[in-house]
């Protein structure tokens, strides 16, 4: 029963799916999207060229890492990504959301703003396809990577690495001795881009060796935490969130809350202007990731970002998990994160047929 994962070593979300399959001992082989079967059989089924895609042993095609993980979680796996307690689940979803909203910006900046310093490596990774490389580089402004924001992006990475390095010096994973949804989400940008491309890799190895070691651990098939001795396997007992992780919550509040509040307002404007029908695709074409532009700020610096419905899908998982739980609300209140649970969103976003569609409106 071997599955096929279509992905690439330098693909952000491929790394997330690959790690989950390895950690759970799920047999798979990985194929490049250049494979003829991907072009001829898989792309027509999903309607766009995108990775990762999983073709299960019985022929089911699943696109998007979250859907891949959900597929196996619902069937039961050796090491679930979902902690048993509501506080830990909420924190796992929070870190996953931060990776999608904020850290993609860091990942793309350090890959493409430093192209001249790592051109040979990236040219090899992209098989010399300069057109694809140029297209990827063109996404930087939409993601908020501008001359005005670059200084704060780099300060942010330094703050993040400092915080995570202190945590991973004491704990093998975010929430104890087992990888959570937050670990898999964080691994996306922290490995394929920031922990593999030469420029950010050197920064990580030289300033945050415990974070680099965590990226190795996340890519290993087993727990891979020998240096922690008899550290207990599994998530931390009693739904505990380690004290060493709390500075990360403060950083997330500083960097992401305001941006998402602005994007929620922009979504409301878009829904009011277009009156979308429930079940309709959120974008005019399956490969389009954004539906509008949003004026917002990152660490106090103004920029214009793309309004990406997928971010609202990931935000919903967090809000659905923690909005009514007293323990989650208390934790989030302590760290300035309550707006993530309480900010109204004009419409839900769902995944159907491997694309994002409008869910309940209003």
């Amino acid at each position: 029963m071997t599955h096929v994962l279509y992905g690439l070593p330098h693909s952000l979300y491929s790394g997330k799916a690959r790690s989950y399959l390895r950690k759970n001992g799920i047999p798979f082989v990985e194929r490049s999207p250049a494979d003829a079967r991907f072009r001829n059989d898989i792309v027509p089924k999903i309607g766009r060229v995108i990775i990762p895609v999983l073709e299960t042993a019985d022929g089911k095609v699943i696109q998007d890492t979250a859907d891949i993980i959900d597929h196996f979680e619902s069937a039961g796996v050796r090491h679930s990504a979902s902690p048993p307690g509501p506080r830990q689940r909420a924190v796992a979803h929070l870190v996953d959301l931060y990776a999608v909203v904020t850290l993609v910006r860091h990942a793309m900046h350090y890959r493409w703003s430093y192209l001249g310093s790592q051109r040979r490596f990236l040219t090899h990774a992209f098989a010399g396809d300069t057109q694809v490389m140029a297209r990827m580089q063109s996404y930087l402004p939409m993601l908020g990577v501008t001359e005005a924001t670059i200084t704060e992006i780099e300060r942010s990475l330094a703050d993040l690495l400092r915080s995570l390095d202190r945590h991973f010096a004491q704990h093998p994973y975010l929430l104890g001795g087992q990888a959570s949804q937050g670990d898999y989400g964080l691994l996306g940008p922290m490995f394929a881009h920031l922990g593999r491309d030469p420029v950010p890799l050197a920064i990580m190895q030289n300033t945050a060796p415990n974070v680099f070691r965590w990226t190795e651990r996340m890519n290993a098939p087993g727990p891979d935490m020998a240096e922690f001795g008899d550290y207990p396997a599994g998530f931390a007992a009693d739904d505990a969130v380690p004290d060493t992780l709390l500075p990360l919550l403060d950083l997330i509040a500083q960097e992401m809350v305001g941006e998402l509040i602005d994007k929620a307002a922009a979504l409301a404007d878009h829904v009011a202007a277009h009156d979308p029908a429930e079940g309709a695709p959120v974008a005019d074409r399956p490969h389009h990731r954004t539906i509008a532009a949003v004026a917002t700020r990152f660490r106090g610096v103004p920029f214009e970002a793309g309004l990406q419905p997928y971010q609202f899908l990931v935000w919903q998982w967090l809000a659905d998990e923690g909005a009514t739980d007293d323990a989650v609300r208390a934790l989030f209140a302590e760290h300035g994160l309550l707006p993530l649970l309480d900010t109204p969103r004009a419409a839900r976003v769902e995944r159907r047929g491997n694309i994002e569609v409008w869910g309940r409106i209003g």
Side-chain angles (χ1 to χ4, degrees):
M1 295 291 291
T2 298
H3 310 280
V4 179
L5 178 69
Y6 292 96
L8 285 168
H10 60 277
S11 160
L12 188 151
Y13 291 109
S14 296
K16 179 179 176 181
R18 184 188 307 114
S19 172
Y20 180 85
L21 295 174
R22 285 176 176 169
K23 286 294 182 193
N24 282 286
I26 298 168
F28 75 100
V29 294
E30 188 165 350
R31 297 281 183 262
S32 163
D35 187 277
R37 177 166 175 75
F38 181 79
R39 297 192 307 271
N40 299 332
D41 298 331
I42 304 301
V43 171
K45 292 180 180 179
I46 61 176
R48 53 181 168 170
V49 177
I50 190 171
I51 54 175
V53 179
L54 184 81
E55 184 178 22
T56 66
D58 58 3
K60 185 177 181 179
V61 175
I62 308 170
Q63 192 283 308
D64 191 72
T65 304
D67 289 351
I68 293 169
I69 291 176
D70 283 348
H71 170 78
F72 291 107
E73 290 281 314
S74 63
V77 290
R78 186 181 302 171
H79 303 294
S80 174
S82 181
R87 284 173 21 121
Q88 291 182 352
R89 286 196 303 271
V91 169
H93 284 304
L94 174 69
V95 177
D96 192 16
L97 179 61
Y98 178 61
V100 169
V101 174
T102 304
L103 294 187
V104 168
R105 184 175 304 135
H106 298 53
M108 293 292 281
H109 161 61
Y110 275 98
R111 172 162 290 177
W112 299 114
S113 299
Y114 286 95
L115 177 60
S117 301
Q118 49 196 11
R119 185 180 298 275
R120 185 175 182 183
F121 178 83
L122 292 175
T123 300
H124 175 270
F126 283 84
D129 194 331
T130 55
Q131 288 186 335
V132 171
M133 294 170 67
R135 186 172 71 248
M136 299 299 290
Q137 194 171 26
S138 73
Y139 295 152
L140 293 184
M142 176 198 71
L143 295 170
V145 181
T146 68
E147 289 187 10
T149 60
I150 281 175
T151 297
E152 289 305 323
I153 291 170
E154 297 194 349
R155 286 175 177 165
S156 170
L157 181 65
D159 291 343
L160 175 65
L161 289 176
R162 189 179 306 111
S163 175
L164 287 176
D165 199 62
R166 291 169 179 164
H167 174 77
F168 289 130
Q170 297 187 39
H171 305 278
Y173 299 99
L174 289 174
L175 295 166
Q178 183 170 327
S180 70
Q181 182 75 36
D183 290 276
Y184 293 115
L186 185 64
L187 183 70
M190 295 300 286
F191 171 65
H193 289 233
L194 300 171
R196 194 170 179 273
D197 292 357
V199 170
L201 171 61
I203 294 171
M204 182 185 295
Q205 289 178 323
N206 286 320
T207 67
N210 293 302
V211 181
F212 176 73
R213 178 69 185 99
W214 167 83
T215 67
E216 292 184 322
R217 187 174 301 119
M218 286 295 294
N219 279 291
D224 191 23
M225 52 188 199
E227 64 266 47
F228 288 93
D230 58 357
Y231 193 105
F235 297 113
D238 302 321
D239 200 21
V241 176
D243 289 344
T244 49
L245 200 60
L246 299 181
L248 176 61
L249 273 58
D250 295 328
L251 182 65
I252 292 173
Q254 175 194 357
E255 296 184 347
M256 188 177 72
V257 168
E259 180 177 341
L260 285 180
I261 291 173
D262 291 338
K263 288 182 174 179
L267 180 70
D269 291 342
H270 179 86
V271 169
H274 295 85
D275 191 24
E278 185 174 338
V282 299
D284 56 352
R285 296 182 182 180
H287 65 280
H288 287 175
R289 307 285 183 89
T290 64
I291 59 174
V294 185
T296 186
R297 291 175 176 268
F298 176 68
R299 291 171 65 116
V301 179
F303 72 98
E304 192 172 81
L307 183 63
Q308 301 179 51
Y310 186 81
Q311 295 180 356
F312 286 83
L313 178 67
V314 183
W315 188 0
Q316 284 164 196
W317 300 332
L318 169 61
D320 291 347
E321 182 66 52
T324 61
D325 187 277
D326 290 342
V328 173
R329 292 187 65 84
L331 175 66
F332 276 41
E334 291 174 5
H335 297 278
L337 294 163
L338 270 184
L340 298 180
L341 304 180
D342 295 341
T343 298
R345 295 172 300 282
R348 291 184 68 87
V349 177
E350 309 292 349
R351 288 269 303 175
R352 299 176 195 167
N354 291 307
I355 63 169
E356 289 81 51
V357 301
W358 294 111
R360 186 181 69 248
I361 308 296

